[in-house]
Amino acid sequence: MLLRELVELRDVHLALVGEGELRERLETEAKSLHIVERVHFLGEISVEAAYEVIGAADVFLFPSKYEAMPIALLEAMCLGVPIVASNIPANREVLLNAGILIAAGNPTEYARAIQGILDNPALAARLISLARFRSSQFQLDTMVSGYEQLFAKSWDLANSDASGGPIGRSSVEISHPIHTP
């Protein structure tokens, strides 16, 4: 568990946001490791407060073992915080090269990566820049435009024969982006 590695990262504090079945066990472990003053269990807080906590962090740690779409990771990317995350498919797809990926369940490597970012402001700045750029690819207008292009291409393919010529007249036309309220 990462709390054991926090013992070695002497000047590092860990803020945990949210509630879960592991909280009691983590509180007990923090006490037994004598690091309770450096582990902050914030519990359920408002979205705005969570953004403040994330934005104030020197590093965002995302050691999740399973994710479908890592929204918290995207939020940290948008907020400009260097990221250390588990090397799982969803995190790889979202981050690409905009963070440091570590094998899930390897607390020593997480600690090394965190310390590496803290010790190297140039690395932190590069990761922030890459993350902000990468997160822009997930903005609504960018994603809608991508889907429109995909649908248009699919329509063109579906309405052409094997020789590449049109099969018939098209009655569907994408003339402007979809607007959301």
Side-chain angles (χ1 to χ4, degrees):
M1 190 73 213
L2 185 65
L3 291 181
R4 286 185 214 103
E5 297 305 323
L6 190 60
V7 172
E8 303 304 317
L9 297 168
R10 303 223 181 263
D11 295 326
V12 173
H13 285 244
L14 178 64
L16 297 169
V17 175
E19 292 292 336
E21 59 194 41
L22 298 177
R23 181 175 177 150
E24 188 175 316
R25 190 173 90 199
L26 292 171
E27 287 175 331
T28 300
E29 186 175 358
K31 287 176 187 171
S32 71
L33 294 170
H34 308 288
I35 57 171
V36 71
E37 69 283 351
R38 294 192 294 129
V39 181
H40 309 277
F41 295 91
L42 304 180
E44 288 294 326
I45 59 177
S46 71
V47 171
E48 294 80 14
Y51 288 163
E52 285 182 32
V53 170
I54 294 168
D58 295 316
V59 177
F60 181 78
L61 178 63
F62 197 68
S64 184
K65 291 182 181 178
Y66 310 99
E67 289 292 327
M69 181 60 176
I71 299 298
L73 190 62
L74 281 165
E75 292 167 337
M77 292 166 72
C78 288
L79 291 167
V81 181
I83 294 168
V84 174
S86 54
N87 190 2
I88 61 173
N91 292 351
R92 280 194 305 272
E93 182 178 346
V94 168
L95 271 177
L96 295 180
N97 65 342
I100 298 174
L101 293 167
I102 304 295
N106 192 335
T108 301
E109 289 303 312
Y110 280 111
R112 281 190 192 131
I114 291 166
Q115 193 64 58
I117 291 171
L118 296 174
D119 291 344
N120 188 341
L123 172 62
R126 185 173 66 82
L127 291 174
I128 289 168
S129 176
L130 290 167
R132 283 192 168 139
F133 175 77
R134 177 67 180 144
S135 69
S136 72
Q137 304 304 301
F138 292 90
Q139 292 178 357
L140 181 60
D141 57 341
T142 304
M143 292 179 70
V144 168
S145 176
Y147 279 117
E148 286 178 336
Q149 291 172 19
L150 177 64
F151 292 147
K153 186 176 184 177
S154 295
W155 180 259
D156 289 344
L157 289 173
N159 287 301
S160 63
D161 63 17
S163 66
I167 291 178
R169 291 184 54 180
S170 169
S171 62
V172 175
E173 181 179 304
I174 297 175
S175 60
H176 64 307
I178 299 169
H179 296 283
T180 57

